[in-house]
Amino acid sequence: MKYLPLVWSQLFRRKTRTVLTLLSVLVAFLLFGLLQAVQIAFESGADSADAKRLLTTARYSIIEPLPMSYALRMERVQGVVAVAYADWFGAKYQNESNAFAVFAVDPARYLDMYPEFEIAPAQREAFMKTRTGAVAGKRLMDRYGWKVGQKLPISSEIHAKTDGSLDWEFDLVGVFDAEDPAVRANTDVVLINVAYFDEARQSGRGKTGWYITRIADADQARTIAADVDRLFMNSPDETKTAPEKEFAVGFAKQIGDLGALVTRILLAVFFTILILTGNTMAQAIRERIPELAILKTLGFSNVTVTALVLGEAALLLGIGATLGMLTAVSIIPGLNSATGGRFPPLFVHAETFVLAAVVALALALAVGLPPALRVHRLRIVEALAGHR
Amino acid sequence: MSSLNQILHITLINLRNVPRRLGTSLVVVVGIAGVVGVLVSVLAMGEGFRHTLASTGRPTRVIMLRAGSDAEMSSGVGRDQATLLGALPGVARDDAGRPLVSAELFVMVDLPRQGQSDPNNVPFRGVQPAAFAIRDEVRIIEGRHYERGVREVIVGRKAAREFAGLGVGSRIAFRDSDWTVVGTFESGGDVHESEIWADAEVAMSAFRRSGFQSVTAALADLTDSGLADLRASIARDRRLSINVLREPEYYAKQASILSKLIGVLGYSVATFMAIGATFGALNCMYSAIASRQTEIATLRAIGFGGAPVVVSVMIEALALALIGGVLGATLAYVYCDGASLSTLNFNTFSQVAFDFRVTPGLLARGLVWALLIGAAGGLLPAIRAARVPVTVALRTA
């Protein structure tokens, strides 16, 4: 630690060069922070999944409906604590298809299933009691400037009312939110009361889209899932049940291997940084060979001088990485509001910081070791003689 | 000496010097190659996706959906409505006088990707016999057509490549029953190659559907007024609430969300990388002129002007940038062009398979970016080189 001022002054010996190199490293880690945040946002479903929740869909395709009557039979399966269900409304708002998701749910069952959705008890009560009621996630309320108490006109691309019209209207009676940023992405949804929806729709009555079950013991998930599916085997509507996490992971995989894409981009970024900082370090050390020889003459051991060089590389990448990650953290709130909540909320995960530290350290070793070894082998006489 | 001549000479000296500054020059080349490589390959992905949807359908055909639905999946057209639509005068007829119209069932089935086990929403289309007369780009490349009334399917070329168990002869389990794959088809690289096709009647009974999702028809009158007449005759019939779109218009819409997303991703990542690479280029050019300080000062002392020095440094920066750009574009072309990929199209909620397309336009865009970065990285050092007073430069070297 006592050598820090020495390493610091060595690093900033050539200010322009060091500052420019630092800025490149900063940008690289900023990009790292942002891309990791995007990847995590896309895969956040898996993070926020509750190990005690199972999802049941129709066996051959998630678009096939299931009878609503399954709820009562599923409740009787050993180990199942609660059952909720939801149906896809196919919302079109202000002429934009799928502007947000709308689920037709049984209010009490659904809100009990997702205790992470925070809603005022009075609003929850109102949602349960109002047949035409709807509640919306806070981010959606903010995006569209909705107020609790207003009428909410939403069209459906799928479900016509009995009069043939696709235009529906609901009473917005409440708002819900979640504190955990990984969960908040799941609140970008409007929930409508299935009691009214099912009665007022032209076709598909008595059917729902998917079931969510809460189980007592997460270790029993496989057994219970199999039990549920066995219940409906060979019926006209067979089911497929899996832990919520598996479902979320599967959905992320539908998009494709986003992880691989991000990894490849970051490899290109860090390879560039490797060449760039490697060159800076090599130049810096080459210029200072006589100085380093003098340090050795003064009695600095080979190991100390080597450590000084490595420390310089570590400091360079450490400062750059720290500033880059801090920049990422500070611009993400701006990005989140700029996308108007159309994109899952971005945040820098704790894991990303750890990963950034590991990458910075690996880069420091890669760019620091060659010059450090060269300095380690340096012979004082030759080093001093070799230069004017 | 004319300034053009001066520029030529200084530039040649500079460029001959580059190999001696290989390390720093490499930084510019690699940095810019990285930017261009990433930019071109990400945009090539967007380009491939857009191309697949844009090449789907012909302006001579229309797709009819329930009014209010923007995608086939959410649309619904009753059997009675489909019959009415087929009888409209705006629909073309074949030599035997039968309408060239195909009412189609469009659903998703779960299939794993090759070598994986998670389900994907693969589009399944039940078509009527006229579908092949209407879409004459569809061609069986392996096996045979399905037989009507039998649970047989033909599979799009790209679906067969991306998803497991779709080879000719294999059996796939969908709702209620097993289906046999009897053929593979191609359709000019369009979006239908990601689909599985079967006879509409068989599919409807198997999926227990009573209605269709869409109706595709050939236009009798290809002009806009012909289309307007067709729309008017639908509007007059109170039993019909149907939206009519020319196919290219419909399919271009289906690309909107994902195209935009890929574009935003590609450009933002490339912008950040370009900023980083510009710092690298600045660094390199500053150290290049620092190492030649005496030489430049000497040239100016013997009568070379400031402008030729600026230009020569810029040319060096641009030359290095160009090498980097070409390298990056070449890497993107070699590794990405034609690579295949399948993803979820957010507009249709179903899988679409496509190939990366590295087009000349994208390569040119990559090179423009390279030159811009080179110019940004060269300008300040070039100006500094020309500004340092000769006496100072010679003394402090």
Side-chain angles (χ1 to χ4, degrees):
Chain A
M1 227 42 216
K2 66 175 172 181
Y3 291 124
L4 191 62
L6 178 60
V7 175
W8 184 272
S9 57
Q10 282 181 342
L11 182 59
F12 286 95
R13 194 171 180 272
R14 293 249 185 181
K15 277 212 185 59
T16 320
R17 183 170 66 203
T18 305
V19 168
L20 287 173
T21 309
L22 269 179
L23 286 172
S24 303
V25 178
L26 185 157
V27 172
F29 278 89
L30 167 61
L31 203 50
F32 173 79
L34 293 180
L35 283 178
Q36 291 288 326
V38 169
Q39 189 186 343
I40 287 172
F42 263 102
E43 290 161 6
S44 63
D47 273 351
S48 62
D50 185 334
K52 289 187 177 173
R53 274 197 299 251
L54 306 180
L55 250 66
T56 303
T57 60
R59 181 167 167 196
Y60 294 104
S61 169
I62 62 164
I63 64 165
E64 299 294 325
L66 291 170
M68 251 181 234
S69 59
Y70 278 12
L72 299 172
R73 295 174 65 189
M74 288 164 76
E75 270 170 350
R76 288 200 296 267
V77 173
Q78 183 92 34
V80 169
V81 180
V83 177
Y85 49 86
D87 200 4
W88 181 253
F89 179 77
K92 190 169 183 178
Y93 184 70
Q94 293 175 343
N95 229 5
E96 185 187 350
S97 291
N98 299 319
F100 45 81
V102 176
F103 300 157
V105 302
D106 177 315
R109 281 177 184 267
Y110 197 83
L111 291 173
D112 285 345
M113 187 58 67
Y114 293 94
E116 62 267 41
F117 292 176
E118 294 149 19
I119 180 167
Q123 294 183 347
R124 180 194 147 105
E125 197 68 18
F127 184 35
M128 285 162 62
K129 284 192 180 138
T130 318
R131 289 172 64 78
T132 54
V135 292
K138 172 127 193 339
R139 271 168 37 108
L140 279 182
M141 302 277 285
D142 293 346
R143 192 204 301 177
Y144 293 105
W146 295 334
K147 299 270 178 294
V148 170
Q150 73 167 74
K151 295 271 183 199
L152 191 57
I154 307 176
S155 303
S156 172
E157 288 198 68
I158 306 169
H159 298 287
K161 294 194 289 191
T162 37
D163 63 4
S165 160
L166 291 163
D167 300 325
W168 295 71
E169 191 174 75
F170 305 98
D171 292 297
L172 192 53
V173 296
V175 52
F176 58 95
D177 199 3
E179 220 154 278
D180 182 346
V183 176
R184 186 165 286 161
N186 302 346
T187 66
D188 289 346
V189 59
V190 173
L191 302 176
I192 58 172
N193 197 330
V194 73
Y196 164 64
F197 170 72
D198 196 49
E199 186 185 275
R201 65 175 156 176
Q202 197 173 45
S203 60
R205 250 180 244 168
K207 300 261 184 178
T208 192
W210 64 95
Y211 282 95
I212 312 106
T213 36
R214 175 167 295 284
I215 55 174
D217 179 4
D219 295 334
Q220 295 289 310
R222 296 252 159 257
T223 330
I224 297 172
D227 288 347
V228 169
D229 289 342
R230 199 169 312 118
L231 208 53
F232 307 110
M233 202 179 277
N234 297 324
S235 80
D237 297 289
E238 292 188 288
T239 58
K240 182 168 64 185
T241 304
E244 192 177 68
K245 182 172 183 115
E246 235 167 76
F247 201 82
V249 169
F251 185 75
K253 278 195 185 154
Q254 284 239 27
I255 295 170
D257 210 342
L258 187 72
L261 180 71
V262 168
T263 308
R264 272 179 219 167
I265 293 177
L266 288 175
L267 274 179
V269 171
F270 285 124
F271 179 70
T272 313
I273 286 303
L274 183 73
I275 300 284
L276 193 112
T277 45
N279 178 61
T280 304
M281 281 304 294
Q283 257 188 337
I285 300 305
R286 205 175 320 130
E287 285 169 6
R288 288 210 312 273
I289 291 289
E291 286 172 33
L292 290 163
I294 290 169
L295 281 182
K296 283 197 178 184
T297 317
L298 289 174
F300 281 75
S301 71
N302 282 343
V303 175
T304 313
V305 179
T306 308
L308 283 178
V309 173
L310 272 179
E312 191 178 331
L315 194 61
L316 176 69
L317 282 149
I319 296 175
T322 309
L323 291 178
M325 291 303 287
L326 286 180
T327 315
V329 170
S330 59
I331 68 169
I332 276 181
L335 279 181
N336 280 339
S337 56
T339 54
R342 267 155 221 279
F343 198 74
L346 297 178
F347 61 98
V348 181
H349 205 269
E351 255 171 49
T352 308
F353 286 105
V354 177
L355 205 55
V358 172
V359 171
L361 196 67
L363 283 173
L365 281 178
V367 302
L369 267 183
L373 288 177
R374 181 176 169 196
V375 170
H376 187 80
R377 287 192 301 261
L378 196 69
R379 293 209 193 161
I380 298 173
V381 184
E382 284 172 13
L384 289 175
H387 281 256
R388 283 171 292 165
Chain B
M1 214 178 342
S2 78
S3 55
L4 209 65
N5 218 342
Q6 290 190 359
I7 292 172
L8 187 72
H9 276 91
I10 307 188
T11 308
L12 281 178
I13 296 172
N14 282 359
L15 292 181
R16 258 184 242 131
N17 248 317
V18 167
R20 285 180 48 195
R21 292 176 273 113
L22 212 56
T24 39
S25 307
L26 201 64
V27 171
V28 182
V29 172
V30 171
I32 291 176
V35 179
V36 174
V38 167
L39 179 73
V40 172
S41 38
V42 174
L43 292 186
M45 182 165 80
E47 184 68 26
F49 171 68
R50 215 187 44 72
H51 178 83
T52 296
L53 284 160
S55 63
T56 305
R58 305 255 173 89
T60 56
R61 301 196 292 254
V62 290
I63 181 164
M64 310 191 218
L65 304 172
R66 175 173 65 191
S69 296
D70 285 342
E72 268 185 287
M73 193 71 77
S74 54
S75 163
V77 180
R79 204 177 264 281
D80 46 339
Q81 292 183 314
T83 314
L84 290 172
L85 289 170
L88 291 172
V91 172
R93 286 163 188 277
D94 67 7
D95 299 337
R98 286 169 305 202
L100 285 170
V101 64
S102 168
E104 305 188 342
L105 174 86
F106 187 72
V107 294
M108 295 185 304
V109 293
D110 281 347
L111 285 174
R113 283 174 205 267
Q114 299 277 13
Q116 293 185 10
S117 59
D118 296 281
N120 288 274
N121 302 342
V122 179
F124 183 104
R125 185 181 293 277
V127 300
Q128 292 185 327
F132 297 94
I134 302 169
R135 298 194 187 88
D136 53 5
E137 66 268 30
V138 174
R139 214 165 49 83
I140 298 283
I141 49 171
E142 199 193 336
R144 59 174 172 86
H145 260 289
Y146 57 77
E147 265 177 53
R148 289 186 63 190
V150 183
R151 287 188 167 169
E152 292 179 343
V153 296
I154 55 173
V155 174
R157 195 168 54 96
K158 288 181 187 158
R161 188 182 64 197
E162 292 291 330
F163 303 103
L166 292 182
V168 171
S170 35
R171 296 177 72 76
I172 25 180
F174 296 142
R175 193 167 170 165
D176 289 355
S177 61
D178 277 6
W179 296 67
T180 311
V181 179
V182 295
T184 311
F185 68 89
E186 66 160 21
S187 50
D190 69 7
V191 80
H192 297 307
E193 291 188 357
S194 308
E195 299 174 347
I196 299 172
W197 282 21
D199 181 35
E201 295 304 323
V202 184
M204 281 173 81
S205 77
F207 287 88
R208 271 177 282 147
R209 296 294 181 104
S210 53
F212 301 98
Q213 263 58 53
S214 67
V215 175
T216 295
L219 280 173
D221 178 355
L222 305 182
T223 62
D224 282 348
S225 69
L227 179 61
D229 289 345
L230 178 63
R231 282 183 177 143
S233 59
I234 289 172
R236 272 196 302 275
D237 193 330
R238 297 194 48 199
R239 292 164 294 180
L240 296 173
S241 170
I242 295 289
N243 197 10
V244 183
L245 285 175
R246 283 192 202 264
E247 273 189 336
E249 195 186 343
Y250 170 76
Y251 284 104
K253 265 192 191 171
Q254 305 308 318
S256 58
I257 300 180
L258 196 57
S259 292
K260 205 190 271 177
L261 211 61
I262 294 175
V264 168
L265 175 74
Y267 279 112
S268 9
V269 170
T271 304
F272 279 116
M273 289 185 74
I275 294 171
T278 307
F279 292 132
L282 276 170
N283 218 350
C284 161
M285 295 318 291
Y286 272 128
S287 78
I289 58 155
S291 72
R292 289 209 319 272
Q293 193 175 335
T294 322
E295 176 193 315
I296 292 172
T298 312
L299 286 172
R300 292 191 36 217
I302 60 172
F304 279 79
V309 172
V310 173
V311 173
S312 72
V313 173
M314 287 298 286
I315 289 179
E316 180 183 334
L318 291 176
L320 290 175
L322 199 62
I323 296 174
V326 170
L327 181 66
T330 311
L331 284 176
Y333 184 79
V334 170
Y335 285 107
C336 288
D337 193 47
S340 61
L341 181 75
S342 165
T343 190
L344 195 66
N345 183 358
F346 298 120
N347 285 86
T348 60
F349 215 62
S350 56
Q351 289 285 327
V352 54
F354 55 93
D355 299 334
F356 280 72
R357 271 172 63 88
V358 180
T359 61
L362 286 184
L363 293 176
R365 210 172 306 172
L367 292 184
V368 168
W369 274 60
L371 291 176
L372 285 177
I373 297 168
L379 192 61
L380 288 177
I383 291 173
R384 156 150 355 146
R387 274 228 178 127
V388 182
V390 175
T391 45
V392 177
L394 286 174
R395 216 177 303 128
T396 57

